[in-house]
């Protein structure tokens, strides 16, 4: 438990993810730490290549951690695990992938794709029970039982993403990593998929790590937001706190890129472009500091003082 009596479900501590070796080594994630509380939606936001997906894939252990640790429900899940622990993690933590076309097996029917986890973990009493579970989740995500005999290529992107969602939810996980699950979909379908995610969260008490680059969507779905730039966390705050007081220049640049529905205002608005050279870290190294209200910002002592004045008007 942490101070505000919320249970920490997932904790990432000083995580580094490095690809390659020696001179070719590239640090994709640099000393990242944050907690996710049970029942909340935490969004991880940043531009392409900022390390968002790498963190998500490190949690499900597709990407190995180079340093630091990941804890789930108080148990360390990064590094070597026994077969039993490994299976437990796979069952409790599921991932919805960004590309609904690439993440589904083209040679398998939708019935088999949704049932695969049930088969692997034998989460059904008999064949009748398996069919009932698959048909129920199929209806819950807005597909029809007659879709089960079809193959992924026979579906639209939105329908494929629903099948991917059904595949995750049927496992009855506690925690879902949604890696840009709506970026490949039409705008009208996006709202439907987001509403589905919210519905499942309310009904099943799910916890989400929602990975995205579009802040307007993130505002709708998340309780807290983590802003990441080039593998490093720039800011963490509750959703409305961040939208009312974006303190780090990088966060402000992301906010300025949110489209405005009025074409006249959109045409006249000025984009704020983030320039990392504005920071002088030659004498004093920056760190992630809680300035109050659970609002954390990355900066050196002088910058943190400036952010506090902007936030609290001291």
């Amino acid at each position: 438990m942490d101070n505000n009596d919320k249970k920490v479900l997932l904790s990432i501590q000083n995580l580094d993810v490095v690809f390659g070796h020696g001179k070719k080594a590239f640090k994709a994630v640099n000393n990242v730490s944050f907690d996710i509380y049970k029942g909340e939606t935490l969004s991880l936001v940043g531009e392409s290549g900022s390390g968002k997906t790498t963190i998500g894939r490190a949690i499900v252990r597709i990407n190995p951690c180079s340093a630091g640790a990941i804890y789930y429900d108080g148990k360390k899940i990064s590094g070597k695990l026994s077969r039993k622990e490994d299976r437990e993690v796979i069952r409790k933590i599921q991932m919805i992938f960004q590309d609904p076309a690439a993440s589904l097996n083209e040679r398998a029917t939708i019935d088999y794709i949704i049932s695969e986890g049930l088969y692997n973990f034998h989460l059904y009493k008999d064949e009748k029970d398996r069919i009932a579970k698959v048909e129920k989740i199929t209806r819950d995500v807005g597909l029809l039982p007659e879709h089960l005999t079809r193959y992924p290529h026979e579906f639209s992107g939105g329908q494929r993403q629903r099948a991917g969602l059904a595949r995750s939810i049927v496992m009855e996980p506690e925690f879902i990593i949604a890696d840009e699950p709506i970026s490949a979909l039409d705008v009208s379908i996006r709202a439907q998929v987001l509403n589905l995610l919210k519905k499942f969260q309310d009904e099943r008490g799910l916890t989400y790590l929602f990975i995205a680059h579009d802040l307007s969507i993130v505002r709708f779905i998340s309780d807290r937001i983590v802003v990441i730039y080039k593998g490093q966390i720039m800011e963490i705050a509750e959703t409305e706190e961040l939208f009312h007081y974006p303190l780090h220049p990088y966060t402000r640049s992301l906010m300025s890129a949110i489209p405005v529905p009025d074409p006249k205002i959109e045409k006249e608005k000025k984009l704020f472009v983030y320039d990392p050279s504005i920071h002088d870290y030659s004498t004093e190294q920056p760190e992630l500091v809680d300035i109050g209200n659970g609002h954390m910002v990355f900066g050196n002592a002088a910058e943190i003082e400036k952010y506090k004045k902007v936030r609290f008007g001291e």
Side-chain angles (χ1 to χ4, degrees):
M1 291 283 187
D2 107 313
N3 321 340
N4 12 7
D5 294 338
K6 290 179 186 166
K7 185 187 176 194
V8 174
L9 186 66
L10 186 107
S11 182
I12 294 179
Q13 297 175 9
N14 309 108
L15 177 70
D16 283 3
V17 178
V18 178
F19 296 111
H21 299 282
K23 286 181 182 174
K24 289 186 177 175
F26 170 69
K27 191 178 264 194
V29 175
N30 183 11
N31 197 26
V32 161
S33 299
F34 60 84
D35 293 336
I36 301 176
Y37 301 121
K38 189 168 175 57
E40 81 164 343
T41 299
L42 179 108
S43 287
L44 195 52
V45 176
E47 62 198 40
S48 297
S50 58
K52 310 183 296 293
T53 298
T54 306
I55 292 170
R57 290 166 80 96
I59 295 169
V60 292
R61 297 177 17 264
I62 296 171
N63 293 337
C65 305
S66 308
I70 301 170
Y71 294 87
Y72 182 79
D73 217 356
K75 293 178 192 157
K76 188 178 175 190
I77 60 166
S78 51
K80 270 202 160 36
L81 292 181
S82 70
R83 182 171 156 74
K84 187 182 172 215
E85 289 169 327
D86 183 54
R87 283 176 66 81
E88 201 178 324
V89 170
I90 293 168
R91 207 189 82 60
K92 287 181 177 174
I93 304 176
Q94 286 289 305
M95 190 161 181
I96 302 165
F97 293 92
Q98 180 173 359
D99 185 351
S103 62
L104 302 180
N105 181 353
E106 284 293 337
R107 295 180 178 183
T109 60
I110 296 298
D111 183 22
Y112 182 79
I113 287 167
I114 295 173
S115 302
E116 197 167 5
L118 298 178
Y119 287 133
N120 292 345
F121 290 84
H122 207 78
L123 301 174
Y124 58 97
K125 294 193 217 61
D126 49 34
E127 184 61 9
K128 190 181 169 189
D129 183 42
R130 181 193 70 78
I131 293 166
K133 280 187 171 180
V134 171
E135 286 189 353
K136 183 185 183 307
I137 200 67
T138 304
R139 283 197 184 92
D140 285 351
V141 298
L143 294 174
L144 299 168
E146 52 260 39
H147 287 143
L148 291 169
T149 53
R150 297 187 194 168
Y151 292 84
H153 69 266
E154 297 178 71
F155 290 106
S156 68
Q159 288 173 316
R160 277 197 289 248
Q161 197 58 290
R162 286 166 193 268
L165 183 55
R167 175 177 63 179
S168 298
I169 300 282
V170 80
M171 298 281 288
E172 294 179 14
E174 298 171 344
F175 180 65
I176 290 181
I177 299 159
D179 182 11
E180 304 226 25
I182 53 173
S183 63
L185 307 179
D186 293 338
V187 175
S188 56
I189 308 295
R190 286 180 183 190
Q192 294 171 16
V193 173
L194 285 176
N195 285 329
L196 270 176
L197 288 169
K198 280 201 137 189
K199 174 180 155 250
F200 286 128
Q201 186 170 39
D202 295 340
E203 289 174 356
R204 297 164 182 254
L206 291 170
T207 307
Y208 290 130
L209 172 63
F210 191 84
I211 296 169
H213 60 265
D214 185 340
L215 272 165
S216 54
I217 282 163
V218 161
R219 189 173 193 172
F220 170 74
I221 200 166
S222 33
D223 298 297
R224 289 187 305 135
I225 298 172
V226 175
V227 179
I228 187 166
Y229 173 72
K230 289 194 174 174
Q232 208 146 28
I233 291 178
M234 297 291 122
E235 201 160 351
I236 303 176
E238 287 185 358
T239 304
E240 289 310 308
E241 166 80 16
L242 192 79
F243 273 84
H244 287 118
Y245 302 101
L247 299 176
H248 196 279
Y250 179 65
T251 310
R252 297 210 324 269
S253 76
L254 287 180
M255 296 278 185
S256 80
I258 297 174
V260 181
D262 186 321
K264 198 174 176 203
I265 299 172
E266 179 65 29
K267 203 174 176 184
E268 289 169 3
K269 81 168 186 188
K270 282 189 168 62
L271 285 175
F272 176 75
V273 180
Y274 176 56
D275 176 11
S277 67
I278 59 170
H279 306 288
D280 178 16
Y281 295 144
S282 53
T283 51
E284 200 173 12
Q285 283 305 300
E287 54 183 354
L288 198 62
V289 178
D290 189 339
I291 63 161
N293 263 17
H295 196 146
M296 301 182 82
V297 196
F298 185 72
N300 60 21
E303 286 176 332
I304 296 299
E305 280 312 306
K306 192 178 82 182
Y307 296 145
K308 279 183 181 172
K309 281 179 185 161
V310 172
R311 172 61 185 90
F312 299 107
E314 290 166 9

